[in-house]
Amino acid sequence: MRPLSPLSTNLEGMPTEKSYLAGDVITGYVRSLVVNEPDVLRRLREETALHPDAVMQIPADQGLLFEVLLGLVGAKKTLEVGVFTGYSSTVTALALPPDGHVFACDVSDEFTSVARRYWAEAGVSDKITLRLGPAAETLKQLLAEGHGASLDFAFIDADKEAYDTYYELTLPLIRPGGLIVLDNMLRHGEVVNPNVSEPGSLALRKLNEKLARDTRVRAVLLPVIDGVTLAWKKPG
Ligand SMILES: C[S@@+](CC[C@H](N)C(=O)[O-])C[C@H]1O[C@@H](n2cnc3c(N)ncnc32)[C@H](O)[C@@H]1O
């Protein structure tokens, strides 16, 4: 277990684009309490922090949230749309039982080459199938391959304009009582900006309104990190 580190010096305590909701001090405090992050995940986070697109990575406290959610739904078979350098997929695979599995979708061989390296280091390569290609096609393939209503958990964290498509293609793959988690649903606050014209923010605002009324799920948008929506597929 790592000791609590001073807020001013640890990586978690650095001001990040994702700390706008709680402020840097509270965000740093919350992240400083993530004390038993496996060493492999800490190294992955530190390597990714040097990447020009580092802000795309989920933070350590979100990884811990996933660990809790995966445990609560008893997850064995999961899906990830948007792998990047692999933080969320590695957290997920580590949290699953030995016979658990992650279907991981991304378009970038370059980003996911980092992920593959860390999956190997974490000893979870056998628990993850990477499908390189547009996620919408992969999701259709998974359904055609017979994975319908069999996944316990899905995490959607890729191109924002396609979130609704990913949601609609993921829902039939999820078992009743399973969970879909959608990231960046506050879009750095842009979803409440009346003058916003950026297509991703407009798409997520529309999806938030749709999810609120969607009778197939019970969805709640948690105002943590950059807005994390939990869409729980109604059992039966
Ligand atoms: C926000 S990052 C994912 C971050 C990751 N979940 C993590 O914890 O580090 C978004 C990823 O979506 C991928 N992506 C973008 N468009 C995609 C598409 N059409 N299909 C699949 N993946 C896509 C990008 O290559 C990028 O790696």
Side-chain angles (χ1 to χ4, degrees):
M1 188 182 282
R2 281 187 296 132
L4 291 178
S5 32
L7 292 183
S8 55
T9 57
N10 71 350
L11 248 187
E12 299 89 336
M14 282 170 62
T16 73
E17 208 192 325
K18 293 183 176 177
S19 64
Y20 67 98
L21 282 171
D24 291 335
V25 173
I26 295 296
T27 299
Y29 175 66
V30 169
R31 288 180 191 167
S32 76
L33 294 172
V34 184
V35 291
N36 47 15
E37 180 186 38
D39 193 54
V40 63
L41 289 174
R42 180 186 54 75
R43 283 186 285 106
L44 166 53
R45 206 159 37 71
E46 288 177 356
E47 179 174 338
T48 305
L50 306 173
H51 193 285
D53 296 318
V55 72
M56 294 210 295
Q57 181 178 54
I58 66 159
D61 49 330
Q62 192 167 349
L64 188 52
L65 171 65
F66 284 13
E67 195 181 327
V68 172
L69 293 172
L70 289 158
L72 285 172
V73 297
K76 255 190 167 182
K77 201 170 158 187
T78 76
L79 168 74
E80 176 160 300
V81 181
V83 173
F84 188 41
T85 56
Y87 193 91
S88 48
S89 52
T90 308
V91 165
T92 302
L94 285 170
L96 296 181
D99 58 344
H101 203 81
V102 182
F103 292 102
C105 312
D106 208 289
V107 279
S108 171
D109 189 39
E110 185 193 334
F111 293 162
T112 55
S113 65
V114 180
R116 287 194 296 269
R117 183 155 45 82
Y118 280 96
W119 294 341
E121 280 191 39
V124 295
S125 301
D126 291 350
K127 291 165 104 178
I128 303 176
T129 304
L130 175 64
R131 303 267 182 123
L132 274 185
E137 295 314 309
T138 302
L139 296 174
K140 287 178 202 161
Q141 283 163 12
L142 287 172
L143 194 61
E145 289 165 15
H147 295 287
S150 72
L151 303 184
D152 306 296
F153 178 94
F155 178 43
I156 298 178
D157 187 21
D159 44 325
K160 307 310 162 195
E161 287 171 72
Y163 262 38
D164 192 15
T165 301
Y166 299 149
Y167 170 68
E168 287 298 339
L169 291 170
T170 297
L171 200 54
L173 292 167
I174 293 283
R175 67 161 166 86
L179 187 67
I180 302 177
V181 177
L182 302 103
D183 204 19
N184 309 111
M185 295 301 278
L186 288 173
R187 197 71 168 152
H188 209 259
E190 286 299 288
V191 290
V192 293
N193 175 358
N195 302 317
V196 73
S197 57
E198 189 267 319
S201 303
L202 291 172
L204 294 191
R205 180 198 285 165
K206 203 167 159 201
L207 182 56
N208 281 331
E209 288 159 15
K210 169 177 161 169
L211 287 170
R213 293 176 176 79
D214 191 332
T215 55
R216 299 169 294 177
V217 294
R218 291 292 282 157
V220 59
L221 169 47
L222 303 177
V224 294
I225 307 155
D226 189 25
V228 177
T229 291
L230 309 183
W232 178 55
K233 185 168 177 175
K234 285 184 185 167

